[in-house]
Amino acid sequence: MNRRRPAGRDRGSFTAELAAGLPALLLLLLAGLSAVNAVGTRAGCLHAAREAALAASRGADGAAAASRATPPGAEVTVTVDGQRVVATVRAPVRALGSRLPRISVTATAVAAIEPGVAESAGRPVRSTTPGASAPPGVAVPATSVAEPAEGGP
């Protein structure tokens, strides 16, 4: 014959444990998904920075080359420092919760200026944010494109 155990003190303990553990599990899931999103955004920034540095080292507009590969809302900065080009891309990471703090990722790429491209000391910096204009009162300087050296190809 089967003996039934009378209802004891542990009745409903699974429900209480689930109610306490489920929010922690959901928070861990959101943090993990946000981390994966940050890694993907960082990879996109690195790709865009490499494109910008390579294009600028060949005398083209690096910011325009990077804008085709940047994540949404990214800011591209291309500078020429002596015989090298430094491209930096910074992009915000979309958090999967509206109350989570905003984070941004940055990637930088450096390329040597190609032979035959005129050295332009004091070349202006170009900062762009694709899809958005600069805030009021903030000037976005223009970029000059280096012309080939005289007697070059």
Side-chain angles (χ1 to χ4, degrees), residues 24-117:
L25 183 64
L26 287 176
L27 184 61
L28 185 63
L29 178 67
L30 282 176
L33 290 175
S34 293
V36 168
N37 193 13
V39 168
T41 303
R42 170 91 168 48
C45 287
L46 185 58
H47 176 65
R50 286 178 179 164
E51 290 290 324
L54 185 61
S57 72
R58 293 180 176 169
D61 186 8
S67 68
R68 294 185 292 267
T70 56
E75 176 184 321
V76 177
T77 305
V78 177
T79 59
V80 176
D81 180 25
Q83 287 295 318
R84 61 186 190 153
V85 176
V86 180
T88 304
V89 178
R90 169 172 272 173
V93 176
R94 291 184 336 177
L96 296 175
S98 61
R99 304 219 182 242
L100 295 177
R102 302 279 298 174
I103 59 173
S104 63
V105 293
T106 304
T108 302
V110 179
I113 294 179
E114 297 283 330
V117 175

